[in-house]
């Protein structure tokens, strides 16, 4: 958890550095000024004040003119304070003169457009970032950009009306883009300009083929027009030309021609088919299988994937072929490229000379005196030969190994290290030698930190502290890490304007002794003056406040604000959230925190249909079976299961989710599964804050009727209530407390004697507690960490159960990377014991078997009490598991 917090801090520092707006600085001197905005109270008309500005748009930036403009605006006496923010932009500098009190952007809404596009995508298109001042002129630009975006996606009839709601109490302006989407346009005519008749017909076929239909690139009259459809269709055109060996072709999509009277779009492509490009490899096969050679050739030679022809791609293909054969052990391989051009044909010929196959016998490091060989070999990507491989060695791998070794030496303070690789051929074995000149080690003579008035030295760079301390090897990478950690620490203490600089002073007597200086400009501590909640429509502000946990008068910590955003996402009722200061931090010591959210769709229906074929049953045995707890059963010749009966039937499921019920983030769902052998219904109700507490709850009810087991028909009913709470963020440990009542009823028994009477109608009323600890890096693809669970349950007859027993189940899974593999293990332990003279129902006993436990037995067919067999016929299982 500490590592996660640290990563969060570093991200906070990086994010803050990206969004922070720069004040006037001489570094911009001479750069072009693209735009100047006067930002003030939106009730005022400030356009007449433009005449007071010495700095003009479309002129070079002048620090003197900017300062003169500030003085002129302050001289009017209308504004208590005037500030300038300089925003670098590809088109030029954008200057915002903030005439206090200036208003800033609140929530941006896209009414009517979120049915087709995600809120985050629309926000990206509008380009109205957080902490931006409200500039009315920029709304027109955003509206125009949105209009173009909708047109590109087929909504040519869309209209946009922009409305601004001024919040004088918080000095905010909320912006609403009311969008009437209209109908999406349909594809009209599709025309290819440039190719002749047969080639044009071939391209027309490519965008009307079955592949085009299945991939979403079908361009036929009447199909909906969209950007994604056009992108896929263009790729299909490139693919068709590539199959025709027109690898030097050029395809350009022309501007669409929209006809409002029919709501159709005519599409045209300008295609230069280019000459036929023939790519050949001679001298060696790329694979022993003929059908694989062509695939490998297209994979290695980028002319195919890029569908273009230029000298760089030809050279890249040559290098890829060389690396390919070197990795296979042909370390003397050579590739010669011949490029022949004719009027309508180009031949690219790769002549391959493999040479003899070699093995990487040894990897030798020479000259390493200060760093152990074990540490250095871990950085070498050249691989030594083993029983099953000839090893891996190529120019690319050797260069990468040298890079890795140099990086390791630089981290250890050896700035002047020189590494010369050498390949020695001993026919048929090869030695790869890395000759190392370590040079002198650069040591930190003294490390000084200045300016840290509010945070002690020992707390500046958690969790490892400042790494560049006196006596440590000098490492530029670790120096940069120290700077980032210090910045993150201050950001997470509320010093949002912190500036950390590092300086390296070389000793005049020896360049291998350095003095380091960390200069910290803390600036002011910023506190939360007020918390403003924006964007909620159905959600109660109390829920957002309880989840975000941003207290007033507390320091405005970037890490806590990012963590609050994650908690809001975890509610699963918002598709976007943002928490930050109302305006950029300049010199203020208090600032309002804006908590912005956009609610996701409340209703969701998921459905699926299919067809299944189930095999049920087994052989027809005879003999005697002893059932635990009952008398021997004489099977005789009676048929206890049909011989591998096959059941074919349609299968369908439908699920309905209703989110954010009562505005408290609660979610209700209902699901139904229908098939020939299984009928199931399930309803759930989840609460993120049960009775206003920090516990989340889940209530569920399900009923099921299944005939998947050929011995009986099972009817199941279940009602459960569960509460859960996070008890340790550091170890991601959670506690679950659960009550469950279920009923199992067996009917249509094929051989009644095989099922004990006590197991035919079972009621279970269980209280249980589960402790879950999960420190895995990726739950679905873990590389490191631990996943462990411990569940203790008690089922007494006093609560309506058919039996009294206790149950303990534990699981421990451990993941650790070892070189290039992941060591993973899992241990599971289960204990069950009856009490008060009762019994344990068969359905609650532990069963093993299958590929994940005991592979000598079928899955779940080995129980705690093995069935004693008498005269077991061939094909009859070693143990019988009655799955309820």
């Amino acid at each position: 958890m500490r590592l996660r917090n640290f990563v969060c801090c570093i991200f906070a520092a990086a994010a803050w550095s990206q969004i922070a707006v720069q004040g006037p600085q001489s570094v911009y001197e001479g750069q072009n000024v693209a735009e100047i905005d006067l930002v003030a109270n939106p009730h005022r008309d400030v356009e007449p004040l433009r005449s007071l500005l010495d700095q003009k748009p479309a002129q070079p930036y002048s620090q003197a003119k900017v300062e003169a403009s500030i003085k002129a605006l302050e001289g009017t006496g209308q504004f208590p304070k005037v500030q300038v923010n300089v925003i670098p932009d590809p088109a030029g500098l954008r200057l915002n003169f903030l005439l206090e009190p200036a208003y800033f952007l609140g929530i941006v809404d896209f009414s009517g457009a979120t049915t087709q596009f995600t809120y985050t995508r629309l926000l990206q298109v509008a380009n109205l970032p957080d902490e931006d001042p409200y500039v009315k002129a920029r709304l027109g630009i955003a509206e125009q950009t949105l209009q173009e975006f909708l047109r590109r996606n087929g909504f040519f009839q869309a209209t946009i009306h922009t409305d601004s709601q001024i919040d004088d109490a918080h000095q905010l302006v909320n912006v609403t883009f009311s969008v009437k989407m209209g109908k999406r346009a349909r594809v009209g005519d599709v025309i290819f300009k440039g190719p002749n008749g047969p080639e044009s017909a071939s391209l027309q076929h490519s965008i009307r083929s079955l592949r085009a239909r299945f991939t979403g690139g079908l361009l036929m009259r009447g199909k909906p027009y969209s950007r994604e459809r056009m992108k896929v269709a263009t790729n299909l055109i490139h693919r068709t030309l590539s199959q025709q060996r027109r690898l030097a072709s050029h395809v350009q999509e022309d501007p669409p021609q929209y006809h409002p009277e029919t709501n159709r779009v005519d599409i045209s492509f300008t295609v230069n088919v280019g000459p036929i490009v023939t790519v050949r490899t001679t001298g060696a096969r790329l694979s022993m299988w003929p059908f694989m050679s062509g695939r490998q050739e297209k994979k290695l030679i980028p002319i195919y994937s890029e569908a273009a022809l230029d000298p760089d791609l030809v050279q890249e293909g040559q290098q890829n072929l060389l690396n390919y054969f070197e990795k296979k052990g042909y370390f003397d391989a050579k590739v010669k490229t011949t490029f022949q051009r004719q009027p309508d044909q180009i031949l690219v010929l790769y002549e391959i000379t493999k040479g003899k196959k070699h093995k990487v016998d040894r990897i030798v490091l020479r000259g390493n005196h200060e760093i152990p060989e074990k540490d250095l070999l871990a950085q070498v990507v050249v691989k030594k030969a083993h029983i099953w491989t000839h090893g891996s060695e190529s120019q690319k791998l050797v260069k990468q190994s040298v890079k890795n070794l140099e990086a390791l030496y630089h981290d250890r303070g050896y700035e002047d290290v020189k590494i010369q690789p050498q390949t020695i051929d001993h026919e048929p074995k090869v030695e790869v030698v890395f000759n190392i000149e370590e040079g002198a080690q650069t040591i930190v003579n003294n490390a000084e930190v200045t300016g840290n008035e509010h945070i002690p030295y020992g707390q500046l760079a958690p969790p490892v502290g400042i790494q560049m301390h006196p006596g440590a090897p000098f490492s530029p990478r670790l120096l940069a890490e120290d700077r980032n950690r210090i910045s993150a620490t201050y950001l997470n203490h509320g010093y949002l304007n912190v500036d950390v600089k590092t300086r390296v002073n070389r000793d005049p007597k020896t360049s291998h002794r350095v003095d380091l200086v960390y200069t910290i400009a803390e600036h002011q501590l910023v506190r939360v003056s007020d918390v403003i909640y924006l964007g909620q429509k159905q959600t109660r502000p109390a829920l957002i406040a309880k989840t975000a946990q941003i207290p007033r008068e507390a320091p405005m910590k970037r890490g806590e604000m990012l963590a609050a955003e994650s908690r809001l996402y975890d509610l699963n009722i918002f598709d976007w959230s943002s928490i930050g200061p109302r305006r950029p931090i300049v010199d203020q010591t208090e600032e309002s925190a804006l908590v912005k959210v956009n609610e996701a769709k409340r209703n969701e229906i998921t459905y699926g249909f299919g067809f299944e074929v189930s095999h049920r049953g087994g052989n027809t045995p005879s003999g005697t079976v002893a059932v635990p707890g009952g008398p021997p059963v004489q099977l005789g010749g009676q048929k206890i299961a049909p011989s591998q009966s096959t059941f074919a039937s349609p299968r369908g499921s439908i699920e309905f989710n209703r989110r954010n019920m009562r505005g408290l983030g609660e979610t209700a769902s209902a699901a139904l599964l229908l098939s020939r052998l299984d009928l199931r219904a399930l309803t759930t109700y989840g609460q993120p804050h049960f009775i206003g507490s920090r516990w989340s709850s889940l209530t569920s009810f399900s009923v099921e009727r299944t005939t998947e087991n050929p011995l009986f028909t099972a009817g199941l009913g279940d009602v459960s209530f569960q509460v859960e709470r996070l008890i340790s963020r550091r170890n991601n440990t959670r506690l679950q407390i659960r009550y469950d009542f279920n009923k199992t009823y067996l009917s249509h028994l094929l051989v009644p004697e095989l099922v004990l009477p006590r197991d035919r109608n079972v009621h279970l009323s269980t209280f249980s507690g589960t402790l879950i600890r999960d420190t895995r890096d990726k739950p679905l693809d873990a590389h490191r960490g631990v996943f462990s669970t411990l569940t203790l349950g008690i089922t007494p007859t006093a609560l309506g159960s058919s039996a009294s027993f206790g149950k303990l189940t534990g699981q421990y899974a451990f993941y650790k990377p070892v070189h290039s593999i992941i060591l993973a293990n899992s241990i599971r332990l289960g204990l069950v014991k009856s009490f008060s003279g009762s019994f344990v129902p068969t359905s609650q006993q532990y069963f093993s078997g299958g590929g994940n436990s005991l592979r000598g037995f079928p899955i779940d067919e080995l129980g705690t009490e093995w069935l004693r067999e008498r005269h077991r016929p061939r094909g009859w299982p070693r143990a019988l598991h009655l799955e309820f």
Side-chain angles (χ1 to χ4, degrees):
M1 193 63 188
R2 288 182 179 177
L3 179 61
R4 292 174 58 188
N5 286 338
F6 167 68
V7 173
C8 183
C9 296
I10 295 299
F11 174 77
W16 180 253
S17 65
Q18 291 175 2
I19 65 174
V21 184
Q22 301 295 324
Q25 298 178 14
S26 58
V27 70
Y28 300 121
E29 195 75 28
Q31 296 186 29
N32 180 59
V33 176
E35 185 179 352
I36 296 178
D37 291 318
L38 296 177
V39 184
N41 188 321
H43 297 293
R44 299 189 56 173
D45 182 16
V46 295
E47 287 303 312
L49 299 177
R50 285 188 177 273
S51 60
L52 300 176
L53 301 180
D54 287 354
Q55 177 68 62
K56 305 293 183 183
Q59 291 183 0
Y61 178 89
S62 169
Q63 182 73 15
K65 289 184 178 181
V66 170
E67 292 177 355
S69 301
I70 294 175
K71 288 182 180 180
L73 292 170
E74 289 177 341
T76 62
Q78 302 179 31
F79 312 103
K81 190 175 183 180
V82 177
Q83 294 178 333
V84 176
N85 287 341
V86 182
I87 305 174
D89 192 86
L93 301 178
R94 180 157 61 93
L95 273 61
N96 288 333
F97 284 85
L98 304 180
L99 313 179
E100 299 291 352
Y103 281 40
F104 288 81
L105 284 173
I107 194 70
V108 181
D109 193 18
F110 302 93
S111 175
T114 52
T115 57
Q116 296 290 336
F117 305 100
T118 63
Y119 179 83
T120 51
R121 183 69 182 102
L122 294 170
L123 199 61
Q124 182 184 22
V125 172
N127 192 24
L128 296 173
D130 293 341
E131 302 178 37
D132 250 19
Y134 171 73
V135 182
K136 188 174 182 180
R138 297 199 62 80
L139 298 186
I141 299 175
E143 182 178 323
Q144 182 179 356
T145 306
L146 281 171
Q147 190 80 57
E148 290 298 322
F149 171 76
L150 295 175
R151 287 175 61 87
R152 288 197 305 271
N153 285 276
F155 294 96
F156 292 86
Q157 298 178 348
T159 58
I160 303 175
H161 173 70
T162 306
D163 185 31
S164 301
Q165 300 87 34
I166 301 174
D167 183 356
D168 291 309
H170 300 113
Q171 296 181 354
L172 293 172
V173 180
N174 300 317
V175 179
T176 301
F177 295 98
S178 299
V179 183
K180 292 183 179 180
M181 301 293 291
K183 291 184 178 180
R184 190 191 290 267
R186 302 277 174 169
V187 175
D189 296 330
V190 182
I191 303 171
F192 287 93
K193 302 176 182 177
N196 57 31
E199 291 171 340
S200 179
S202 174
L203 297 178
Q204 288 280 3
H205 178 265
S206 68
I207 58 175
R208 297 179 180 178
S209 61
L210 285 176
R211 178 183 289 272
R213 185 180 297 274
F214 290 137
T215 58
L218 183 63
L219 289 184
M220 293 181 63
R221 291 183 63 87
K223 288 295 178 181
Y225 176 87
S226 68
R227 190 71 251 151
E228 289 300 318
R229 184 181 295 274
M230 294 301 301
K231 187 183 297 184
V232 175
T234 303
N235 290 337
L236 289 173
I237 295 170
H238 280 292
R239 183 177 183 274
T240 301
L241 292 171
S242 177
Q243 290 175 340
Q244 297 173 357
R245 296 187 296 168
R246 303 284 185 174
L247 300 178
S249 59
H250 177 71
V251 179
Q252 178 182 346
E253 180 187 344
D254 299 327
Q257 301 298 316
Y258 177 65
H259 302 284
E261 64 278 3
T262 59
N263 198 26
R264 295 291 175 101
V265 181
D266 292 340
I267 300 169
S268 65
F269 297 93
T270 300
V271 181
N272 179 10
V273 295
I276 295 176
V277 178
T278 303
V279 180
R280 292 179 184 171
T281 57
T282 62
R285 292 187 301 177
L286 298 179
S287 175
M288 61 181 296
W289 307 104
F291 67 92
M292 290 294 294
S293 292
R295 171 179 284 185
Q296 195 66 40
E297 179 180 299
K298 292 180 179 179
K299 181 180 178 181
L300 294 173
I301 301 175
I303 296 174
Y304 291 103
S305 58
E306 298 291 336
L309 185 66
D310 60 55
D312 290 337
L313 293 177
V314 174
Q315 179 66 28
E316 185 180 345
Q318 178 180 343
Q319 189 61 47
N320 289 346
L321 288 169
L322 186 61
N323 291 333
Y324 175 77
F325 282 101
E326 286 179 343
K327 285 183 178 180
K328 284 184 168 290
Y330 299 97
F331 304 133
D332 297 330
K334 297 180 180 178
V335 180
K336 180 183 177 182
T337 305
T338 303
F339 192 85
Q340 300 176 1
R341 181 183 291 272
Q342 297 179 2
D344 194 36
Q345 187 171 357
I346 296 176
L347 174 63
V348 180
L349 180 64
Y350 293 98
E351 300 179 54
I352 304 169
T353 304
K354 292 195 303 185
K356 294 183 179 180
K357 200 166 190 176
H358 297 72
K359 288 185 177 181
V360 181
D361 184 48
R362 296 174 61 199
I363 299 175
V364 181
L365 299 170
R366 293 176 180 170
N368 58 304
H369 304 293
E370 302 298 333
I371 299 182
E373 185 174 289
K374 179 182 177 182
D375 295 348
L376 294 174
L377 287 176
Q379 306 300 320
V380 177
V381 294
V382 175
K383 299 302 178 184
K384 186 179 174 182
H386 296 286
I387 298 175
W388 57 87
T389 176
H390 287 77
S392 298
E393 190 268 348
S394 67
Q395 296 180 19
K396 184 178 180 180
L397 294 177
V398 170
K399 288 180 179 178
Q400 186 60 48
S401 298
V402 171
K403 273 182 157 183
N404 294 348
L405 290 171
E406 289 177 344
L408 178 61
Y409 268 100
H410 290 161
D411 280 348
R412 302 286 179 92
Y414 296 92
E415 300 178 286
D416 301 328
V417 65
K418 294 180 180 179
I419 301 176
Q420 294 294 333
Q422 183 182 7
T423 302
I424 303 175
D425 193 347
H426 292 296
E427 279 307 332
K429 298 180 180 180
V430 170
E431 279 187 8
V432 181
V433 181
F434 295 94
N435 298 297
I436 303 171
E437 294 182 20
E438 294 179 331
Q441 187 180 34
T442 303
I443 301 296
V444 177
N445 189 48
N446 186 36
E448 181 183 3
V449 179
T450 62
N452 58 317
E453 299 178 1
H454 296 91
I455 298 180
Y457 176 87
Q459 301 176 14
L460 283 176
V464 296
I466 294 180
Q467 302 171 91
M468 293 291 92
H469 53 79
F474 173 68
S475 168
R477 182 181 65 86
L478 296 180
L479 179 65
E481 285 188 7
D482 283 345
R483 183 180 65 247
N484 291 338
R485 284 194 178 97
I486 294 171
S487 297
T489 299
Y490 272 95
L491 289 174
N492 277 338
H493 281 76
Y495 295 89
L496 302 185
N497 264 353
V498 65
D499 184 21
V500 181
K501 295 180 180 179
T502 57
R503 188 172 73 251
V504 180
N505 298 323
R506 300 279 177 177
D507 192 322
K509 297 180 180 179
T510 171
S511 60
H512 297 292
R513 289 280 179 175
V514 297
D515 293 331
L516 304 181
V517 180
Y518 297 85
T519 304
I520 303 173
E522 294 180 336
H523 298 296
Q524 78 281 12
L525 174 66
V526 183
R527 295 186 179 275
V528 178
S529 61
D530 190 18
V531 184
I532 305 170
Y533 303 98
L534 301 173
Q536 67 276 7
K537 297 176 181 177
Q538 302 292 333
T539 310
R540 299 185 190 182
L543 173 65
I544 302 176
K546 180 176 293 187
T547 305
Q549 301 175 18
I550 304 294
R552 297 182 181 180
E553 301 303 325
M556 186 175 284
K557 303 178 180 180
R558 292 299 298 182
E560 289 187 358
M561 289 189 286
L562 290 172
E565 288 182 9
S566 299
R567 290 194 295 270
L568 289 172
Y569 276 116
D570 291 342
L571 289 176
N572 200 29
I573 60 175
F574 302 120
D575 56 15
W576 176 82
S577 69
S578 174
I579 301 178
R582 180 182 66 93
R583 53 175 294 171
I585 303 301
V586 183
D587 56 4
Q588 65 269 42
T589 58
E590 288 190 349
E591 188 54 71
S592 299
L594 298 187
V595 180
K596 303 179 184 180
V597 295
N598 185 75
E599 295 177 346
K601 295 179 180 178
R602 302 185 68 194
N603 299 321
E604 181 183 55
I605 298 179
T606 305
Y607 56 88
F609 299 97
F611 191 84
E612 68 173 356
V613 177
S614 302
H615 301 283
R616 192 186 72 169
N619 298 324
T620 307
S622 61
T624 302
V625 175
V627 179
V633 178
Q634 297 291 336
L635 296 176
Q638 59 181 314
K639 186 177 181 181
I640 70 166
S643 298
Q644 202 64 33
S645 298
T646 301
F647 294 84
S649 70
R651 181 183 181 93
S653 65
I654 185 170
E655 181 178 357
F656 172 75
N657 290 299
R658 172 74 170 179
R659 298 190 180 93
N660 205 8
M661 297 187 66
R662 302 195 301 156
L664 294 175
E666 301 170 354
T667 301
S669 67
L672 184 65
L673 172 68
L674 301 173
S675 68
R676 183 174 179 181
L677 299 180
D678 193 15
L679 303 175
R680 187 187 314 154
L682 170 68
T683 61
T684 63
Y685 193 86
Q687 298 174 286
H689 298 284
F690 178 63
I691 318 179
S693 68
R694 293 187 179 182
W695 294 82
S696 63
S697 70
L698 179 66
T699 305
S700 67
F701 170 76
S702 67
V703 292
E704 182 178 6
R705 182 183 185 275
T706 175
T707 57
E708 291 179 339
N709 194 310
L711 296 177
F712 52 79
T713 297
L716 303 97
D718 185 273
V719 178
S720 68
F721 175 75
Q722 171 186 298
V723 291
E724 177 180 323
R725 180 177 177 178
L726 179 68
I727 59 177
S728 174
R729 290 190 179 276
R730 177 181 177 184
N731 297 320
N732 193 21
T733 304
R734 298 176 179 273
L735 174 64
Q736 292 179 352
I737 300 176
R738 178 184 177 91
Y739 171 75
D740 183 87
F741 179 85
N742 67 71
K743 176 181 178 180
T744 302
Y745 176 73
L746 303 184
S747 61
H748 301 88
L749 298 174
L750 194 61
V751 181
E753 293 83 357
L754 286 178
V755 181
L756 299 176
R758 69 187 187 186
D759 287 327
R760 298 177 186 177
N761 191 348
V762 178
H763 300 75
L764 299 176
S765 180
T766 305
F767 270 108
S768 63
T770 302
L771 197 63
I772 303 172
R773 181 172 179 261
D774 188 358
T775 61
R776 294 174 295 177
D777 55 344
K778 298 177 182 178
L780 297 181
D781 184 20
H783 291 73
R784 57 176 55 85
V786 171
F787 176 74
S788 58
T789 64
L790 182 65
T791 302
L792 176 63
I794 182 170
T795 307
T797 55
L799 295 179
S801 297
S802 303
S804 293
F805 60 92
K807 200 170 185 181
L808 176 68
T809 306
Q811 177 182 354
Y812 182 84
F814 177 74
Y815 304 86
K816 182 179 181 180
V818 179
H819 297 294
S820 59
I821 63 174
I822 305 299
L823 179 64
N825 63 76
S826 178
I827 301 173
R828 288 177 290 173
L829 174 66
L831 302 172
V832 61
K833 177 68 175 177
S834 61
F835 60 88
S836 299
S838 186
F839 66 96
V840 179
T842 306
S843 62
Q844 297 302 305
Q845 297 181 15
Y846 291 100
F847 292 84
S848 186
N852 293 327
S853 56
L854 195 56
R855 299 187 180 184
F857 295 86
I859 186 169
D860 289 339
E861 290 196 2
L862 180 63
T864 55
E865 297 183 64
W866 292 12
L867 297 182
R868 298 183 299 276
E869 307 170 42
R870 298 179 184 176
H871 312 294
R872 180 176 60 88
R874 181 175 300 176
W876 182 243
R878 295 179 180 272
L880 178 63
H881 173 208
L882 303 182
E883 186 176 2
F884 299 163

